[in-house]
Amino acid sequence: MPRAVMGLLAVLAMGCSSPGGAGVDEGRIPLTLENIFAAAGGAGRAVLSPDGSMLAVAGPIEGTGGRGIHLVPAAEAEVAAAGGEAATSRVAGRAQTWSPDGERLAYIAAGNLLVASAGAGEPGRVLVEGASGVRAPSWSPDGEMLAYYSTASGSQDIWFVDAAGATPPRQLTSGAAEADDSRFSPMWSPDGRWIAYISNRADWWHDDVWLVGVASGEAYRVSAALMASSSPVWSPDGSSLVLMGTSKDEYWYEDLAYLYRIDLDLTGTAPRVVREAPLDMQVYATDAIMRFDPFWSGDGERIYFPYQQRGAFDLWSVPASGGVATRVTNVGGSWSSLHATPDGGRAVFTRDAATEGREAWLLDLDGGIPARLTDFWPHFKGVQRPAEISFRSFDGLYIQGFLYLPPAIRAALSAGSDPPACPALVQVHGGGTNSYTQGTNLVEQYLANEGFVVLAINYRGGSGFGREFQDLSVEDWLNDQSKDPGAAADWLRRQPYVNGRVGIYGGSYGGMQSMSAITRTPDKFDAAVPMRGIYSESLTLPYADRLGKIFTITGHGGTPEERPEIYAKSETLDRMDRITAPVLIMHGEFDVRAPFENFELAVERLGALGKEFESRSYPEGHGFRDPANSTDMYSRLQVFFDKHLGGCQPGGTSLD
């Protein structure tokens, strides 16, 4: 092998190395599919007490197999000493939120709303029992009431209840949102007179900001131009709201939202909108599929928000009137929770990275290094830091990828010897306008440990690279973007550690991409595993849920009747005659985001065309909940690729 190539491969081996040195796997658990889906929970929702001294964080309860709420000291002196293991009490529950005085926690357990004394470690008092869809509890500023969402009315509506349980719950809104739309939370005004919330009551297709009077129950729409992608958050003085959103007259950009500020005059009986406009700044805000909300500094002078670039998250800040946004953290990774104290002095976020499990981190907003507060992650054997690469696609654009190498290849490259040639896989992420983020990504880690070279790519149309890059797929779904995986396959075949055979897999939009890629570039792949995808937008759109309909119609610039030529581009079902690779197709039988009808249509078409394929469905929705089903699905994927791609061969040997 030429010395220059060996030098490059040695760099790749370093980029894909496991952390640490000898004995690095001591005390770690095996990286198996069973452990990935049953034991890899890590830290979940994390919220700081109002004074910032305690953290309430979701995490596994040892010995039970379940999860619950842990209380962890967050005082500076305790952080270093705790080492992430200083939980003072644990209670089964979720959706925890602190009372304004920091003495109580409201939370959801077994579908009921409860309140407990902080630190008691015992189940709390049930305030709401037996109501359907109870979620997102929120304390009134005086700590006397709790607002929450419930679907007891048949839709997502706000209810509230006395925090002492003295009076029964009362419904506050009517028809606020679809029953299956659980993205947003009710937000109390600082004076307790109003609750801000997101509703599609005015227009089924649009998510607007509304205020409801707590005393009167009268509701008022206070936004007209924006499409919300976060809950609206009150300024400390109660005169403004800030939220993430996109303009209704633009594309529904994912993870590249504006920060909208709505200024209000609340002196009368009805609110008056003084201003509704995005803040002027040089970056965007990332909602991460409506997971994050922005927050204010205690003096109302600044607004904080997460922003994802090239798959890595960090916290940013911008003046409340707009201006130059600056980065607050420099840690990257993939984030899943963010919360701050009311005075804006401290924030907590949950984060995972390539070789770091999902834990809660404390940040002093004056600046500095975040401190880890938890140690829930089970610490897997054999995880590696993938090499971040770029490869040139069919039209000259460079596409980001993350390269995971099998242990035998890494060992050979580190030793300066010829590596074995192994089968390769292209992973295509879900959420076509989202990104493959720089988290632990344990499925790719597992497949690499099992002998596959895995390249996870951020194909065109995703977030993290600016709106111009995301615009490349607008009204062009599964067309040019489905050629990026083929270019990734070409790059892989040129590497001396690939045996010449390449497969492709992905779920949700990644399932759509997997199936489309083997019709757009059928000569590039030797096997494909599309999961939970849409293969005919035009035929199955009527069966999709509301968000699925909005996403599809926005991406295509209209309905199938209005834009038939655009839907023809994404109609993979009509191109299945071009498929030459064997296919394993899998789906959830109760899926309404990517309706199950897609699976049925695809299986029927593949059979009619005489294609080589296998199929499997599960009693699941779009996101699988039963770890056994996820384990079975990826076990089948591994067996399928083993069968069709072969194994690792001696150095430099190709199977083609």
Side-chain angles (χ1 to χ4, degrees), residues 67 76 123 134 298 351 381 499 546 576 579 583 631 641:
R67 293 176 64 80
E76 276 187 295
V134 174
R351 167 190 174 272
K381 294 179 180 179
N499 71 1
R546 175 175 174 265
M576 286 186 175
I579 293 174
V583 176
T631 299
F641 283 139

Side-chain angles (χ1 to χ4, degrees), residues 147-311:
Y148 61 94
Y149 272 105
S150 171
T151 56
S153 64
S155 58
Q156 285 281 345
D157 277 308
I158 298 172
W159 295 61
F160 63 94
V161 65
D162 181 81
T167 57
R170 181 160 68 91
Q171 184 176 342
L172 189 59
T173 64
S174 178
E178 299 296 295
D180 61 358
D181 189 349
S182 58
R183 294 173 294 160
F184 306 116
S185 300
M187 309 296 276
W188 290 84
S189 63
D191 62 8
R193 292 176 54 213
W194 302 93
I195 292 177
Y197 64 103
I198 304 300
S199 175
N200 69 329
R201 174 176 164 181
D203 187 325
W204 192 85
W205 296 100
H206 293 151
D207 293 319
D208 300 310
V209 183
W210 287 66
L211 299 186
V212 60
V214 174
S216 68
E218 294 294 326
Y220 306 88
R221 184 165 65 122
V222 295
S223 73
L226 66 84
M227 178 75 166
S229 54
S230 81
S231 299
V233 183
W234 291 91
S235 61
D237 66 2
S239 65
S240 300
L241 294 164
V242 68
L243 72 156
M244 302 182 202
T246 52
S247 174
K248 290 179 181 177
D249 61 4
E250 292 183 335
Y251 181 61
W252 194 31
Y253 290 100
E254 285 292 315
D255 294 345
L256 292 166
Y258 298 122
L259 277 182
Y260 272 91
R261 177 169 166 171
I262 302 173
D263 295 335
L264 300 165
D265 177 0
L266 299 174
T267 57
T269 56
R272 183 175 69 86
V273 179
V274 178
R275 174 186 185 270
E276 176 198 349
L279 296 180
D280 182 28
M281 61 180 185
Q282 84 279 15
V283 296
Y284 296 99
T286 297
D287 59 85
I289 317 180
M290 293 75 176
R291 184 186 305 148
F292 297 119
D293 298 328
F295 62 90
W296 298 76
S297 61
D299 59 9
E301 294 297 316
R302 303 196 69 81
I303 296 166
Y304 296 85
F305 59 95
Y307 181 42
Q308 180 261 113
Q309 294 176 295
R310 299 186 63 81

